[in-house]
Amino acid sequence: MQCGSLKASLGTSLPCKASRARVSTRSRVTRVTQAVADLQKAVPFLPTADHLAKWSNTSWRNFTALQQPEYPDQEELEKACAEIASYPPLVFAGECRTLQERLAQAATGEAFILQGGDCAEAFSQFNANRIRDLFRLILQMSVVMMFGGGVPIVKLGRLAGQFAKPRSANMEEKDGVSLPSYRGDIINGPEFTAEARTPAPWRLVKAYNQSAATLNLLRGFSTGGYAGLDRVTKWNLDFMANSEEGKAYTDLARRVDEAIAFMQACGLDMNSSVMKETEFYVSHECLLMGYEEALTREDSTSGLWYGCSGHMLWCGERTRQLDNAHVEYLRGIGNPIGVKVSDKMDPGQLVALIATLNPENTPGRLAVIVRMGATKLREKLPVLIEAVAAAGQVVAWVCDPVHGNTEEVKGYKTRRFENVKAEVEAFFDVHEQCNSVPGGIHLEMTGDNVTECIGGGACVSELDLSSRYHTHCDPRLNAEQALEMAFYVASRLRQRRDRIQKELESKGKVVMLY
């Protein structure tokens, strides 16, 4: 029987074999076209983009690379980098694309970035408990901000790669002896001896291995049930149980539990990934170029190159020159990236830098991380915001309130909590005045019970600095101070949400905000 007669006998419009083939082909083409369109939205640019014509994963070598150590044995350095290049990537391109989507939401106020962790990771302090405690603190802070502020929180650790540190001087002098400055455990040791301060290539491989182990543990915590919202009351750090911040968190956690119980009664699936898992990303400063090149890999899905040492990489204040190696490298990789900006930044230079790093103006590609100090921020940030807005550029504005507030007290580098909070307050105030979006906060902090920053509810005094001062580099907020900051940020996010809601209602619009 012919196809036509079969359709007639059945009284249906059953397609013949040839018709079905054409429909199937059109369906496949449609699916492929949609997949390509989805991929184009998820990447910052295509591999055919004009600005990539002269870029490669090694083109940075044609530019001046600042803040690089002077290795005495170049052959050993090349061997170490070749060994790392043969290892698996630490992160994957698909994870970076998902992070870009989340940062795009932060740029428009639909989410908020929480980026935090050690000033510099140390080999000697590497253990599972410290990683767990920092992860737990970030979870606590995100719950406070999310529940109090009513927005999703993008969780970014300064972790699994934050080893290298820029230095203001190449050499350090003590008692008439001059040695190379300590640049982080990935390069040399903190001990003031000639042997420890000599840059050693084997440290690169050790940093890779520590990062891989850290990421393995973080992925287990994120997806294995530890980060489930049904455990929110169990995240409190033991030493914080009797502190004011610990008690405030416990009270909030009970309210979250009550809300979850209500939703469960309404039919919420407690075993869903939303309830049992969380997204967690890692980031670090893109500083040590040989290490970054060794972990730069081509993605088979998009055709782009990604820096697979971390999900997000940022360019520091000392290395953000347009004609230098770090910007050359970062402009070509597909990762979300950040750039640190101080009060020294000229508005025109910032616009040019953004155009170089995000040539397609893709939302979620770039975060501008401002570090100025409260007084200078109120003066300088509005001009930068206005310049970027006038250029039509889309960025996520992030506040780094620690690096502009470092001082020396009784021989210790420290920060005063009230100064750190004042800069966060100024950050939110300026964005409210400019009608722009405060997109996130970037903190040097630890889950440890340290006494490195003065003040806050933890009541750390100048005399306490010597008690538990454990950092190898810059002072960090301890867990109590960091959680106190989270409660303040949550209050500002709530104020912003309520203000926008009232403005919309006054215009006759009823919109439910996050």
Side-chain angles (χ1 to χ4, degrees):
M1 180 181 291
Q2 297 297 314
C3 184
S5 59
L6 175 62
K7 287 190 288 184
S9 66
L10 294 176
T12 67
S13 58
L14 182 69
C16 66
K17 184 176 182 180
S19 297
R20 288 198 301 274
R22 286 194 296 272
V23 171
S24 178
T25 300
R26 284 197 300 270
S27 178
R28 284 197 301 272
V29 170
T30 300
R31 288 197 298 271
V32 170
T33 302
Q34 184 60 49
V36 171
D38 290 343
L39 181 61
Q40 288 177 341
K41 293 178 183 177
V43 296
F45 38 74
L46 296 178
T48 54
D50 292 341
H51 80 283
L52 295 179
K54 295 183 179 180
W55 184 91
S56 73
N57 63 317
T58 61
S59 60
W60 66 269
R61 293 178 175 272
N62 300 321
F63 297 78
T64 301
L66 300 178
Q67 296 290 332
Q68 303 303 293
E70 296 180 3
Y71 289 95
D73 191 333
Q74 289 296 314
E75 185 177 344
E76 285 300 309
L77 174 62
E78 291 173 5
K79 286 181 181 178
C81 289
E83 184 171 342
I84 294 170
S86 71
Y87 291 165
L90 291 171
V91 302
F92 304 100
E95 296 172 332
C96 298
R97 287 193 285 271
T98 302
L99 176 58
Q100 179 183 300
E101 294 175 11
R102 304 295 181 260
L103 298 183
Q105 293 175 323
T108 59
E110 298 172 84
F112 192 80
I113 301 163
L114 170 59
Q115 187 172 14
D118 280 328
C119 166
E121 294 173 89
F123 293 162
S124 62
Q125 297 176 357
F126 174 59
N127 61 68
N129 288 344
R130 292 194 74 254
I131 297 167
R132 178 204 61 203
D133 288 349
L134 177 60
F135 179 76
R136 183 162 51 172
L137 176 59
I138 292 175
L139 290 181
Q140 283 185 293
M141 294 173 71
S142 66
V143 165
V144 169
M145 293 180 186
M146 184 166 55
F147 192 79
V151 292
I153 303 300
V154 183
K155 295 176 282 295
L156 262 173
R158 287 174 57 108
L159 200 58
Q162 182 53 25
F163 291 99
K165 294 296 294 182
R167 303 280 75 175
S168 56
N170 289 329
M171 304 297 287
E172 179 183 355
E173 186 172 326
K174 286 184 180 180
D175 301 324
V177 178
S178 184
L179 293 175
S181 296
Y182 171 59
R183 291 180 174 273
D185 279 7
I186 194 173
I187 297 168
N188 56 6
E191 301 83 7
F192 195 74
T193 66
E195 181 181 5
R197 291 299 178 89
T198 301
W202 64 264
R203 289 175 172 272
L204 296 166
V205 179
K206 186 168 183 177
Y208 170 92
N209 290 330
Q210 181 168 319
S211 297
T214 299
L215 276 162
N216 182 56
L217 192 59
L218 289 171
R219 288 189 171 107
F221 284 148
S222 299
T223 62
Y226 185 86
L229 282 174
D230 57 341
R231 291 182 53 87
V232 70
T233 57
K234 300 179 178 64
W235 290 340
N236 223 342
L237 294 159
D238 296 338
F239 63 84
M240 289 179 57
N242 297 318
S243 70
E244 290 300 317
E245 288 70 33
K247 291 175 182 176
Y249 175 78
T250 299
D251 179 63
L252 183 143
R254 290 196 188 102
R255 292 162 60 194
V256 171
D257 268 355
E258 290 171 0
I260 291 174
F262 171 76
M263 294 304 297
Q264 187 176 12
C266 293
L268 175 69
D269 181 6
M270 290 298 295
N271 293 315
S272 67
S273 61
V274 173
M275 297 302 298
K276 291 293 185 183
E277 301 176 6
T278 192
E279 291 181 4
F280 191 90
Y281 303 95
V282 297
S283 62
H284 64 266
E285 181 175 358
C286 173
L287 191 60
L288 202 52
M289 296 307 302
Y291 180 79
E292 300 298 345
E293 181 189 312
L295 283 166
T296 308
R297 309 294 165 84
E298 187 175 15
D299 172 39
S300 59
T301 301
S302 65
L304 293 178
W305 290 82
Y306 281 81
C308 294
S309 61
H311 297 111
M312 177 187 180
L313 307 178
W314 74 81
C315 190
E317 169 74 8
R318 295 182 177 95
T319 55
R320 56 170 173 75
Q321 297 82 1
L322 279 170
D323 57 351
N324 278 14
H326 294 82
V327 170
E328 169 62 19
Y329 172 77
L330 288 169
R331 76 181 182 88
I333 59 173
N335 306 59
I337 56 180
V339 58
K340 289 284 190 82
V341 169
S342 74
D343 58 292
K344 300 180 181 70
M345 173 60 85
D346 175 80
Q349 290 177 346
L350 179 58
V351 169
L353 183 59
I354 293 171
T356 299
L357 294 174
N358 189 16
E360 304 290 337
N361 202 23
T362 304
R365 159 69 170 175
L366 184 63
V368 176
I369 308 168
V370 293
R371 38 159 295 181
M372 299 181 181
T375 302
K376 291 180 179 178
L377 185 143
R378 290 184 184 277
E379 176 188 351
K380 300 291 186 178
L381 183 56
V383 182
L384 298 181
I385 292 174
E386 290 168 9
V388 171
Q393 294 170 322
V394 181
V395 301
W397 292 99
V398 177
C399 176
D400 171 358
V402 293
H403 283 94
N405 291 294
T406 306
E407 59 184 275
E408 187 168 314
V409 175
K410 296 185 180 300
Y412 292 93
K413 288 174 69 176
T414 189
R415 290 154 178 160
R416 298 182 188 274
F417 183 83
E418 58 266 30
N419 293 339
V420 174
K421 184 179 177 181
E423 185 161 351
V424 177
E425 181 180 15
F427 178 75
F428 277 95
D429 288 347
V430 166
H431 279 289
E432 184 174 343
Q433 294 161 11
C434 295
N435 197 29
S436 49
V437 178
I441 188 169
H442 179 120
L443 299 170
E444 286 187 344
M445 64 188 201
T446 176
D448 298 342
N449 187 19
V450 300
T451 55
E452 298 169 1
C453 293
I454 298 169
C459 298
V460 178
S461 70
E462 294 181 2
L463 297 176
D464 294 323
L465 290 174
S466 61
S467 175
R468 293 183 299 279
Y469 196 95
H470 297 155
T471 182
H472 279 192
C473 211
D474 290 338
R476 304 159 295 176
L477 298 177
N478 63 27
E480 288 183 55
Q481 292 165 331
L483 195 56
E484 184 176 349
M485 184 62 68
F487 275 105
Y488 177 72
V489 170
S491 71
R492 293 304 302 257
L493 291 173
R494 173 64 68 181
Q495 289 173 22
R496 181 176 185 275
R497 179 172 177 253
D498 291 345
R499 175 175 54 81
I500 294 174
Q501 190 73 52
K502 288 179 181 178
E503 290 174 358
L504 293 172
E505 289 173 354
S506 68
K507 296 176 183 179
K509 299 178 181 179
V510 179
V511 179
M512 292 303 295
L513 300 175
Y514 280 102

